[in-house]
Amino acid sequence: MNTLKDRLIFLWKDQAKQATIAKEIGMTIAGFGRIWNNNGLPKAEVLKKIKELKGCSIDWLLTGEGEPFPDAPGAQGAVRDTLGNNINLNDFVFIPRYKLEPATEQRNGNAHDTADNFTFAFSRQWLEKHINASTNQLSVITVKGDAMEGVFNDGDSILVNHADNTPKDGLYVLRIEDNLTVKRLQIMPGNIVRIISANSAYPAYEVNLRKMSGDIAVIGRVEWFGRSI
C-alpha cells in the first residue's frame, strides 16, 4: 500500500469507490479527485474524519508506515503465525461455517442460527483475485452424506459463493425442499438442467428451469473445498 489511494481502498474494502468515500468524509468529488487521482494530501479535518470513521492511525494513513489500527486487539505484532512472524488480521476474511442440512433456517432468513462454533480464515487477496463476490456473500458448508463421494466426501468443507446462483455447468449447493445438497449441474437444450450425483446409487434427474417450483433453488456455486486426511 504505497499510496494514500491504496490505503483508502484498504479501509473501505468492498465500498472503495471514489464517490462513496468522498460523500462519507464530506468532500466534493472534485476536491477528493485531487487525493484519489493525484495522490494529494487531505486537510487535517479530513484526516480526522477518516480516523473517526475507520479507527485507523493518521500516521499510517499519511505514510503507510506502522500498523493501520494500532489500538486494535492483535495489533503491533501481538498476533503471530506458528513461526513467530507478525500477522495482520486485516489481511484475512473470516467466513462462518454452516451445516449442510437442514435448510429450513436458511430459507426462513435465519441462516446464522445454524453456524458452527468456528470460522474459516481466507486470504483477502486470494478471495479478491479468484472469487467475484463480496465477502458477505460467502459461507463455508460441511458436506454430509455420500451422494457426491469421490468429488466431495462426507465431512469435507466447501466454500459457497451465494452471488453465483444462476444455474450453469458446474458444482452447486441446492435447496431441495428443506434439505441442502451439493450436486453437479449440466445445462441441457430447452432450458433443462440435469442434476447429477457422483455416486451412481443416486440417479440423475432433470428439471425444467422455466417450471422450477419453490421446492428447489440454487443456493450458490462451490468455489473451493478442504478435506481432512
Side-chain angles (χ1 to χ4, degrees):
M1 291 182 283
N2 296 323
T3 67
L4 178 60
K5 179 179 178 179
D6 291 337
R7 294 187 282 279
L8 291 173
I9 291 172
F10 169 80
L11 291 173
W12 264 264
K13 297 182 174 61
D14 295 336
Q15 287 77 42
K17 294 181 174 58
Q18 185 175 349
T20 300
I21 300 175
K23 181 179 179 180
E24 291 190 15
I25 64 178
M27 292 188 69
T28 64
I29 291 292
F32 184 69
R34 290 189 287 272
I35 298 172
W36 188 258
N37 299 314
N38 302 321
N39 202 29
L41 294 178
K43 295 180 180 179
E45 57 265 28
V46 175
L47 293 170
K48 183 178 179 181
K49 179 66 173 179
I50 295 172
K51 179 181 179 180
E52 291 173 352
L53 286 171
K54 298 299 180 179
C56 64
S57 160
I58 290 180
D59 288 341
W60 169 83
L61 187 61
L62 284 172
T63 68
E65 297 176 358
E67 294 287 338
F69 307 104
D71 299 325
Q76 303 189 22
V79 176
R80 298 180 173 87
D81 65 16
T82 57
L83 298 178
N85 300 310
N86 291 344
I87 297 296
N88 185 346
L89 291 179
N90 291 292
D91 290 338
F92 296 88
V93 177
F94 297 89
I95 306 295
R97 187 182 79 160
Y98 301 99
K99 300 172 183 177
L100 188 58
E101 56 183 7
T104 307
E105 291 85 354
Q106 284 91 334
R107 186 169 62 174
N108 292 337
N110 301 313
H112 291 279
D113 294 342
T114 65
D116 286 357
N117 293 325
F118 66 90
T119 59
F120 274 69
F122 288 87
S123 162
R124 186 181 298 278
Q125 184 180 28
W126 183 86
L127 290 174
E128 291 173 350
K129 180 178 180 180
H130 294 284
I131 299 178
N132 184 24
S134 60
T135 55
N136 61 4
Q137 293 175 302
L138 304 174
S139 66
V140 174
I141 294 177
T142 302
V143 174
K144 298 294 183 184
D146 62 354
M148 292 298 291
E149 189 170 6
V151 177
F152 301 126
N153 297 338
D154 184 72
D156 285 354
S157 296
I158 55 177
L159 178 65
V160 182
N161 177 359
H162 297 264
D164 189 349
N165 56 12
T166 300
K168 295 184 288 290
D169 290 344
L171 296 163
Y172 286 82
V173 173
L174 309 178
R175 178 183 57 77
I176 301 175
E177 295 184 343
D178 284 334
N179 293 296
L180 293 182
T181 183
V182 58
K183 299 289 185 184
R184 184 180 298 280
L185 301 187
Q186 180 183 10
I187 302 301
M188 309 289 287
N191 286 295
I192 300 297
V193 59
R194 187 170 176 80
I195 300 175
I196 306 166
S197 299
N199 188 337
S200 60
Y202 298 82
Y205 53 96
E206 297 179 351
V207 173
N208 189 321
L209 294 177
R210 292 176 177 172
K211 299 179 180 179
M212 286 180 64
S213 68
D215 293 333
I216 184 169
V218 178
I219 300 301
R221 185 182 182 91
V222 179
E223 301 279 5
W224 169 96
F225 84 98
R227 175 176 297 164
S228 298
I229 302 299

